[in-house]
Amino acid sequence: MAKQAPQSDPAQDAPQVSAPHHAAAGLPAVGHSLRMAAEQMGTRRTLATLRKVNQPDGFDCPGCAWPEPGRTHTAEFCENGAKAVAEEATERRITAEFFAAHPVAELAGRSGYWLGQQGRLTRPMLLDEGATHYVPVSWDDAIGIVAEELRALDTPNGAAFYTSGRTSNEAAFAYQLLARRLGTNNLPDCSNMCHESSGSALTETLGIGKGSVSLKDLYQADLIIVAGQNPGTNHPRMLSALERAKRAGATVVSVNPLPEAGLERFKNPQHARGLVGHGTKLTDLFLQIRLGGDLALFRALNQLILEADGGVDRAFVEEHCHGFEEFAAEARTTDRAEVLAATGLPWEQIEELGRLVLASRKVIVCWAMGLTQHKHAVPTIREVVNFLLLRGNVGRPGAGVCPVRGHSNVQGDRTMGIFERPSAAFLDALGKEFGFEPPRAHGHDSVDTIRAMRDGRVKVFFAMGGNFVAATPDTEVTEAAMRRCRLTVHVSTKLNRSHVVTGARALILPTLGRTDRDITARGAQFVSVEDSMGQVHSSRGGLRPPAPGLLSEVAIVCRLARVVLGPQDSVPWEDFAADYDTLRDRIARVVPGFENFNDLVRRPGGFTLPHGPRDSRTFPTATGRANFSVNPLTAPEVPAGRLLLQTLRSHDQYNTTIYGLDDRYRGITGGRRVVLVNPADAAELGLPEGGYVDLVGEWKDGVERRAPHFKVVHYPVARGGAAAYYPETNVLVPLDSTADISNTPTSKAVVIRFEPDSGAR
C-alpha cells in the first residue's frame, strides 16, 4: 500500500551537507525511483504503471521533453520521470473534507512540498468572495462562474489564458481557439519563462524557433557542446544519448558555472556496466565559465575560426547565408581581455576548445536555461548560431542547434498556437477553418500578464495546468497581482501554491492526468505530444481515474467554450470533447506538418514535423537565408562585495514540483534553503561554511527583495557567482529584469548581497 500524505510540514531550514558526487544514476537512482514510486503508488501499481512510461502503447512521461529512441527499453524512464509519474499516479486523494479542515490562510502557510504531497484533486472546488474555505461545487456551476466572469469583462483582453507545458496538443489547440473566439491573444505560457530566448534567436537567424537535430544526429556527431545545462537532473535520459554518442566516437564538452555529476560520469542503469562498473566518462573538456560569459566564449571561438586557414565553410556561407561580412568584421575585433574577464576562463582552455572545433566536421550545441535567462540571452544564442553557420553545421547530419526543452509538450503547445504573438499565417488558417476573424493585436506574455493583473487590466486569470505563482519572478509582486483579479481558475491534478494565492473568487478544476484512462461516450481517447526534437506521438493513459466524474482538459475547455460562447457558436465543441479525432482533423487543416494527423499519429513512434533548415537547408527568414548577426560583447556588471546568483533545481525537483528535500548529487540532504558559494568568494565576503544569511537582491529600482535564512555551503561554483534553488529565490528576481527581445526573466543573473540571518522564514 502507498503511504499516507504527511500531515506535518517537514523543516526545510536544517539541510545537511556532504561532498558532491562525481557520477550520476546507477543503483542509487534505481533504488530511489522505486522507493518514491512505492510510497505514492504501492508496489503493484508501481510495476503496472512504470512499464507503460514512454512506450508506443503507453503514455508520455509528464516530466521532460526528451525524445524516445526508435527502440525503447522495457524501462524507458529516468529517476525523475519515475518521480513525476508517481506524483500523478499516487493513491493519495484530496477530498472535500480536506478543504473543510484546512482554511486557505492555513494552506498558504504550508510549503509547496507539503501541498504537493497531499494527493490528487477529486472535485471542483470554489473559494467564494469573502470565504475562508474552498467548498465543493458542481461542474455546471463551476463552468457557469467562469462564463459569468468572462462575460462581465469590459474587453476580452481582461482575461489571460495561461498554459503549462504538460497540456496535450489537442487541449492546447482547443484552448487557444477558445481564447481567440473570445477575442484575445492573451495566451502566456511557460515558454515565456524558459526557452523564449531560444525561439526569438532561432526564428530570426534560421526561420524556425525549434532545434534542428534528432537523436540520430547526436549519435553521429563529432563534437557535442553542452552549455548552461544540467541533464543529470533536468533531462536524465539525455545522458543515455550522450553515452551512445561517446561510444560512437564523439567528444563532449561541458560549459557550465557548476560541475555537474551527470556530465562527469554516467552509470547507465539499463546496462550491467552502469550498475556495477565505473560507468562512462562523458565530459572530455569542462569549461567552468562565469555566469553570463557564454556570449564572450562563442565570440572568441568565432574569432579563432575566422583566423584559421580553412576554418570557414565558404561554400555553405556563400550559398545559404546572409550578413557574413558585417558579422565577421565585428568578430575579428574581439578583445581577448574582455573575453577573459567575461568568461573567467584561461585563454589556453578556449584555444583547446577551438582546436576541437576545427578538427570536427559535425558539431552540435545543446543548451538550456543557463543561456536563456540572461539579459543578453538572445544575442548569446544568436552567437551560437553564428558559430554553427561558420562551418556549415546546420542542415548537416550530426550537426545543428539543440535547445533542450523542459516540460513534455511545451514545444507542442507553441506549435498548436499557444503564443501571444501568433504569425499572420497561423491566424489566417485558423480564421479560414472556423469562419471568423481572429484578433490580430499581440497579447500578454507571462511577465506582461503579471503587470496587467497588477495594474487591474487583467481581471480573470485561467491556468491550464502549471503553478504560475511559484514559477514566475518577483514573488511578492506576482502574488499581489494575482490577488487583484476578480477570478482565478486552475485546471490541475495536484494542489500547489497557486491555489492558495487567489483572486476575489477562485476555482480549482481537477482534471485527468497523462496516466489516467480517458473514456468518453464515443469510446477510449488518446492525446498527442511533441518532444524537444519535433517528433509527434500519441499518449494513452491506462489507470482508473482517481475519482468519478473527472473531466479531461479537452472536455473542460469545450464545455466552457460552449457555455461562454453560446449555442449559436458554430464550432462543434461537443464533437471535439466526445471524439478527439474530430479535433485532430481540424488541426490537420490549420497547422503545417499535421496533414493526415489522425493517420500519422497512430503509427508506432509517431511522425516528425518538417524543418526546412534541417531537411533541405531552406531558411524561412526575412532574407530567405540563414542570418549571421552582430552581437556586441556584454557581461553582467556586479558591484564589489556582491555575487551574481543563478536559480536552479535540486535533484528531487521538477520545475516547481518538489518531490523531496534532497539534492543527492550536490551532497545536500534534508533541506532546500542553501546558497552555494565558491570558498574563495566566501572567504572574501566573510561567509563561514554552515552559517546562515539572508540573500538580498539589488536592482536599479532600489526595491529590497529578501530571501531569508539560507545556509552557506562552500561549493565549487565559478568565481563571482552563487547558486540557490527556486522557487524559494524567485522573490529575488525583479519583474522588470528581463531578457532583451524575449522578455524572459533573468533568473540566472541576480545581483545579491549577504546580510546576517534575520530569523525570518
Side-chain angles (χ1 to χ4, degrees):
M1 289 292 292
K3 293 184 180 179
Q4 294 298 310
Q7 296 307 300
S8 61
D9 210 346
Q12 297 191 43
D13 59 357
Q16 302 300 307
V17 181
S18 60
H21 293 200
H22 297 283
L27 277 173
V30 175
H32 198 59
S33 301
L34 295 178
R35 183 169 61 254
M36 294 189 77
E39 286 179 356
Q40 294 276 359
M41 297 187 286
T43 303
R44 181 178 298 179
R45 190 177 177 92
T46 292
L47 296 175
T49 305
L50 292 183
R51 67 183 182 86
K52 288 292 188 179
V53 183
N54 295 325
Q55 300 297 335
D57 63 342
F59 61 91
D60 195 69
C61 176
C64 80
W66 190 253
E68 280 73 69
R71 296 179 61 184
T72 57
H73 291 93
T74 301
E76 191 58 57
F77 57 87
C78 65
E79 178 185 348
N80 274 355
K83 296 173 190 173
V85 171
E87 286 269 317
E88 181 174 288
T90 181
E91 292 185 323
R92 300 171 184 173
R93 301 289 182 263
I94 297 179
T95 63
E97 289 73 22
F98 171 88
F99 287 104
H102 298 284
V104 173
E106 178 202 323
L107 294 175
R110 298 283 193 169
S111 69
Y113 170 64
W114 186 89
L115 293 173
Q117 289 295 304
Q118 300 310 303
R120 285 288 297 271
L121 295 158
T122 57
R123 297 184 64 178
M125 303 299 297
L126 168 68
L127 180 70
D128 219 337
E129 189 164 7
T132 58
H133 291 69
Y134 276 101
V135 296
V137 64
S138 71
W139 278 105
D140 285 344
D141 286 346
I143 296 295
I145 289 168
V146 182
E148 170 194 337
E149 292 286 356
L150 289 173
R151 292 195 194 104
L153 295 172
D154 297 331
T155 168
N157 291 321
F161 296 88
Y162 176 74
T163 315
S164 159
R166 286 174 57 172
T167 304
S168 69
N169 287 327
E170 291 75 11
F173 186 84
Y175 192 53
Q176 63 81 30
L177 178 60
L178 165 61
R180 292 185 169 115
R181 292 289 281 181
L182 287 170
T184 185
N185 282 315
N186 286 348
L187 286 157
D189 74 331
C190 55
S191 282
N192 301 144
M193 294 176 284
C194 55
H195 267 291
E196 198 66 61
S197 298
S198 300
S200 297
L202 295 177
T203 299
E204 178 184 344
T205 57
L206 302 180
I208 294 180
K210 301 181 181 183
S212 67
V213 303
S214 65
L215 280 178
K216 184 178 179 181
D217 290 312
L218 281 173
Y219 306 151
Q220 297 176 357
D222 298 323
L223 174 64
I224 301 170
I225 300 175
V226 182
Q229 185 192 359
N230 174 21
T233 286
N234 301 329
H235 312 91
R237 287 191 301 140
M238 182 178 174
L239 300 182
S240 300
L242 292 176
E243 179 186 49
R244 181 169 171 180
K246 286 280 294 186
R247 293 185 180 278
T251 297
V252 174
V253 174
S254 301
V255 182
N256 205 49
L258 285 76
E260 298 290 7
L263 284 170
E264 291 187 53
R265 186 172 293 275
F266 175 48
K267 297 182 178 182
N268 191 337
Q270 299 283 0
H271 305 293
R273 63 178 178 267
L275 293 175
V276 298
H278 294 291
T280 302
K281 178 185 176 184
L282 293 184
T283 294
D284 298 286
L285 176 64
F286 173 45
L287 278 66
Q288 188 166 19
I289 198 166
R290 285 180 177 163
L291 277 167
D294 303 274
L295 172 57
L297 172 63
F298 282 97
R299 270 288 297 271
L301 293 173
N302 289 337
Q303 183 185 46
L304 293 174
I305 293 170
L306 289 165
E307 292 174 349
D309 290 338
V312 177
D313 186 337
R314 295 285 178 181
F316 174 83
V317 169
E318 291 173 6
E319 183 176 356
H320 296 291
C321 298
H322 170 81
F324 171 77
E325 295 300 336
E326 295 85 351
F327 151 75
E330 176 74 12
R332 288 190 179 101
T333 68
T334 301
D335 183 84
R336 181 181 298 187
E338 287 187 60
V339 170
L340 298 180
T343 64
L345 299 171
W347 184 255
E348 294 75 19
Q349 203 173 46
I350 296 174
E351 286 185 316
E352 184 179 358
L353 176 54
R355 287 191 293 271
L356 289 173
V357 171
L358 292 169
S360 303
R361 184 173 182 273
K362 298 172 291 185
V363 180
I364 291 173
V365 181
C366 305
W367 71 87
M369 306 302 96
L371 264 62
T372 65
Q373 293 180 327
H374 293 271
K375 182 172 176 57
H376 56 281
V378 174
T380 297
I381 297 164
R382 290 194 306 224
E383 199 66 27
V384 171
V385 175
N386 288 340
F387 166 75
L388 293 167
L389 293 179
L390 273 176
R391 292 180 55 76
N393 280 309
V394 175
R396 172 186 293 161
V401 294
C402 185
V404 182
R405 310 283 176 170
H407 257 147
S408 62
N409 198 43
V410 64
Q411 186 160 297
D413 288 350
R414 181 59 56 87
T415 303
M416 290 295 107
I418 300 294
F419 192 30
E420 76 280 357
R421 293 175 283 120
S423 69
F426 178 85
L427 294 178
D428 289 344
L430 189 72
K432 180 180 179 181
E433 177 62 27
F434 291 99
F436 78 112
E437 179 54 43
R440 300 282 169 162
H442 290 173
H444 298 316
D445 64 13
S446 292
V447 168
D448 285 336
T449 294
I450 298 169
R451 294 168 178 154
M453 291 191 295
R454 175 197 64 193
D455 299 340
R457 291 178 284 118
V458 162
K459 299 177 181 178
V460 174
F461 178 84
F462 194 109
M464 184 62 66
N467 184 0
F468 188 81
V469 164
T472 45
D474 222 340
T475 307
E476 293 181 5
V477 173
T478 295
E479 293 192 354
M482 205 68 130
R483 290 186 171 107
R484 290 206 66 191
C485 289
R486 280 288 311 151
L487 175 69
T488 50
V489 186
H490 296 275
V491 178
S492 305
T493 58
K494 303 284 296 297
L495 194 63
N496 64 48
R497 176 71 181 170
S498 295
H499 302 133
V500 297
V501 179
T502 72
R505 290 202 285 180
L507 283 164
I508 302 173
L509 305 181
T511 190
L512 298 177
R514 291 271 179 86
T515 58
D516 299 326
R517 288 196 300 265
D518 187 356
I519 309 293
T520 71
R522 298 189 193 175
Q525 304 297 316
F526 69 89
V527 294
S528 64
V529 298
E530 178 186 346
D531 65 34
S532 193
M533 293 181 177
Q535 188 82 9
V536 179
H537 57 274
S538 63
S539 179
R540 297 171 174 82
L543 296 179
R544 178 184 298 174
L550 281 191
L551 300 180
S552 69
E553 291 178 333
V554 173
I556 291 170
V557 171
C558 292
R559 286 183 66 165
L560 174 61
R562 177 54 71 206
V563 173
V564 72
L565 296 172
Q568 72 279 2
D569 187 72
S570 60
V571 177
W573 299 106
E574 291 82 4
D575 288 342
F576 289 170
D579 184 352
Y580 301 170
D581 277 357
T582 64
L583 185 52
R584 283 187 283 268
D585 283 339
R586 308 300 284 269
I587 293 171
R589 296 198 287 265
V590 173
V591 183
F594 283 80
E595 297 80 5
N596 301 314
F597 189 7
N598 271 311
D599 293 333
L600 293 175
V601 79
R602 283 176 164 82
R603 296 178 180 176
F607 62 99
T608 302
L609 292 175
H611 190 288
R614 177 197 64 211
D615 301 336
S616 58
R617 285 186 162 176
T618 56
F619 300 93
T621 63
T623 64
R625 289 171 167 248
N627 291 320
F628 280 97
S629 56
V630 175
N631 305 294
L633 276 185
T634 183
E637 296 183 4
V638 184
R642 275 59 173 165
L643 295 180
L644 198 65
L645 177 77
Q646 64 168 321
T647 69
L648 43 66
R649 297 176 184 166
S650 78
H651 192 64
D652 271 357
Q653 174 179 0
Y654 191 78
N655 290 343
T656 59
T657 302
I658 312 301
Y659 303 130
L661 302 181
D662 298 344
D663 192 354
R664 187 171 72 250
Y665 295 144
R666 296 192 182 107
I668 312 295
T669 58
R672 294 178 48 81
R673 300 189 78 84
V674 296
V675 57
L676 311 182
V677 182
N678 185 285
D681 287 327
E684 290 181 1
L685 296 171
L687 301 174
E689 180 151 35
Y692 281 84
V693 295
D694 286 2
L695 311 181
V696 183
E698 294 185 352
W699 200 58
K700 62 185 181 182
D701 62 3
V703 173
E704 180 180 283
R705 297 174 174 87
R706 182 178 296 267
H709 195 65
F710 276 70
K711 185 174 185 175
V712 175
V713 177
H714 291 181
Y715 199 86
V717 183
R719 288 296 306 272
Y725 305 130
Y726 73 85
E728 289 85 351
T729 50
N730 284 354
V731 66
L732 300 172
V733 185
L735 180 65
D736 295 325
S737 180
T738 60
D740 295 336
I741 302 172
S742 69
N743 207 32
T744 295
T746 58
S747 300
K748 298 294 184 286
V750 184
V751 176
I752 60 167
R753 69 177 186 268
F754 299 85
E755 293 190 354
D757 180 18
S758 62
R761 298 290 188 274

